[in-house]
Amino acid sequence: MNDLLIRGVKLLDTKTGEGRLADVAVENGRIASVAAPSCKAAAGQVLVGEGLYLFPGFIDFHTHLFAHGSTFGMDAERLLSAGVTCAVDMGSAGWVNYPAFHRCDLEGKRPRLSSYLNISPIGQPGKGINEPLKDEVLDLERIRERLFEYPKEITGLKVRISRTIVGELGLRPLRRALEFGEALGLPVCVHTTDPPEQAKEAAALLRPGDVYSHMYHGKGNTILDKHGKVQEALFKAQERGVLMEVGNGRVNFDFPVAEQAVSQGLWPDIISSDATPATFHKEPAMWDLPRVMSKFLMLGMPLPEVIRAVSETPAKRLGIETETGRIQEGYRADLTLCRLKEGEIRFWDCAGNERAGNLEILPVMTILNGEIVYRND
């Protein structure tokens, strides 16, 4: 007998867009079977999923979890209520404070967690405190030491290139991050809000597997040229394998920029929240990952592509695509049961612009390693 049976749920094929009803059985923390609905199936615990979708557990690729060392950091456990079973901390810590981050805020948490290490030694301390990025403070060998200490946990490097952070350094910190990434065999995620040069300059530097974050921000130099056209370098970057990432947050998403971009065909590869304690279930412009996903449904992104952007694509980038990101026999039973709620829903951006949609993704239950860890009754 299986440990858990989720009966009669809707499954979505992210390749074909087709949906079907199925019974999904779980045993020893793994998906044991995915079969046509049957009244004969039995298990130690049975859930009736009538009218609900079962998706792979959501992967939030851009969060901040250093609750004990950064004002940007939130408790990773809270993400379970948003259907998130796996999350990436995006550069909250550097090589100096990473051991404290690991011990205080990653170790022992229930969601599956990994991180991008900030190339600045102190990471991102919080609002009003910018990380140093001059050459004399950057230390490739100390970063290498941290990789040896936490080889499966640190999966990339992070750098922020906002003008208020880099000042006269311009794109120099990005170039150094890419040098480090090349030396260490790691991808680089670059925060691009209000960059010192045009978006095309930063995009042209990135390699396949690197991440262009906050793609739809509206501050300073955006991805649009003076005529409102997406700069060609962004399309070329995506074509060669650079991942375009949302990183919604409080100040990193602008409707006019996003609407222009998607009308020209520039959609995200990864949808992420940029969750912090100031935004998670507090900030209407972000709220949580399912709300950001629903925002992209409103913008016209098909549901299968929205789901792929929080499952298969980030799983592949993290190197765990054979373990999670799909509802398939043998995969981890990290699952999110959702209701697609019809009816008007309001969305906001960082500038206070408002839009109306008619479909919302609402997590009903989060299942991690075959165990129910969140239930919205």
Side-chain angles (χ1 to χ4, degrees):
M1 181 181 292
N2 295 301
D3 300 324
L4 174 66
L5 176 67
I6 310 169
R7 178 175 287 164
V9 288
K10 297 179 183 178
L11 301 184
L12 184 67
D13 189 318
T14 58
K15 292 182 180 179
T16 66
E18 296 178 355
R20 64 186 174 106
L21 293 180
D23 287 353
V24 178
V26 173
E27 187 174 356
N28 296 325
R30 300 254 172 189
I31 297 173
S33 66
V34 181
S38 170
C39 61
K40 297 180 180 180
Q45 184 176 13
V46 178
L47 302 174
V48 179
E50 184 177 355
L52 301 177
Y53 277 90
L54 187 67
F55 298 127
F58 297 152
I59 299 173
D60 198 338
F61 191 77
H62 193 139
T63 65
H64 290 281
L65 306 175
F66 196 3
H68 290 84
S70 170
T71 61
F72 291 147
M74 63 174 285
D75 185 352
E77 295 284 330
R78 298 180 63 197
L79 295 171
L80 295 171
S81 66
V84 173
T85 58
C86 176
V88 180
D89 177 273
M90 194 50 74
S92 298
W95 69 262
V96 167
N97 48 10
Y98 194 88
F101 174 42
H102 167 83
R103 180 170 296 182
C104 295
D105 294 302
L106 297 181
E107 195 173 46
K109 298 294 183 179
R110 286 182 296 175
R112 304 184 192 278
L113 304 175
S114 62
S115 63
Y116 272 49
L117 185 70
N118 203 300
I119 67 164
S120 179
I122 61 171
Q124 299 174 211
K127 185 177 180 180
I129 308 173
N130 293 329
E131 60 270 28
L133 287 166
K134 291 183 178 180
D135 281 355
E136 54 264 33
V137 304
L138 304 183
D139 194 325
L140 174 62
E141 293 311 311
R142 300 307 288 269
I143 291 175
R144 194 190 303 273
E145 290 175 11
R146 292 292 178 253
L147 294 182
F148 282 125
E149 291 177 87
Y150 308 99
K152 295 183 179 180
E153 192 170 278
I154 298 173
T155 58
L157 301 177
K158 169 73 179 296
V159 64
R160 296 198 297 173
I161 58 168
S162 297
R163 285 187 295 177
T164 55
I165 297 172
V166 299
E168 295 181 355
L169 295 173
L171 293 181
R172 174 69 176 170
L174 174 56
R175 291 188 173 92
R176 292 306 309 279
L178 292 168
E179 290 173 13
F180 287 5
E182 197 67 27
L184 299 169
L186 290 177
V188 169
C189 175
V190 55
H191 164 114
T192 63
T193 301
D194 194 21
E197 298 185 27
Q198 291 190 53
K200 63 182 181 181
E201 304 297 335
L205 296 173
L206 301 182
R207 309 159 299 160
D210 289 335
V211 180
Y212 187 99
S213 187
H214 311 311
M215 60 185 294
Y216 300 122
H217 78 80
K219 188 174 183 180
N221 293 315
T222 73
I223 59 174
L224 305 180
D225 64 20
K226 62 182 180 180
H227 303 294
K229 299 295 185 182
V230 175
Q231 296 173 39
E232 187 63 25
L234 276 296
F235 288 113
K236 289 182 178 178
Q238 191 175 47
E239 288 170 4
R240 68 174 180 270
V242 174
L243 297 170
M244 296 293 158
E245 185 232 347
V246 175
N248 192 105
R250 172 180 280 178
V251 297
N252 302 314
F253 181 90
D254 181 83
F255 270 126
V257 172
E259 288 162 344
Q260 285 275 24
V262 302
S263 71
Q264 297 169 49
L266 187 68
W267 293 96
D269 297 294
I270 296 176
I271 297 174
S272 55
S273 71
D274 194 10
T276 69
T279 60
F280 186 79
H281 290 172
K282 291 182 180 179
E283 173 57 57
M286 193 284 282
W287 196 253
D288 62 12
L289 181 61
R291 184 73 59 87
V292 179
M293 294 161 63
S294 302
K295 183 183 293 185
F296 278 87
L297 292 179
M298 182 273 298
L299 288 169
M301 193 172 185
L303 179 61
E305 294 182 16
V306 169
I307 299 303
R308 190 185 305 123
V310 298
S311 57
E312 294 176 33
T313 301
K316 185 175 181 179
R317 165 70 288 283
L318 296 171
I320 55 175
E321 71 273 22
T322 60
E323 289 283 310
T324 192
R326 295 182 181 180
I327 298 178
Q328 185 173 316
E329 291 181 11
Y331 273 57
R332 291 173 181 165
D334 294 350
L335 306 165
T336 303
L337 194 63
C338 289
R339 173 176 290 108
L340 264 61
K341 179 183 177 183
E342 296 183 358
E344 185 175 271
I345 175 174
R346 313 301 292 186
F347 299 102
W348 287 267
D349 69 5
C350 63
N353 297 308
E354 186 177 352
R355 302 289 188 270
N358 58 15
L359 195 61
E360 182 179 10
I361 299 170
L362 289 175
V364 173
M365 186 177 295
T366 307
I367 298 169
L368 182 63
N369 200 36
E371 296 184 6
I372 298 170
V373 292
Y374 169 77
R375 184 196 297 262
N376 182 351
D377 293 327

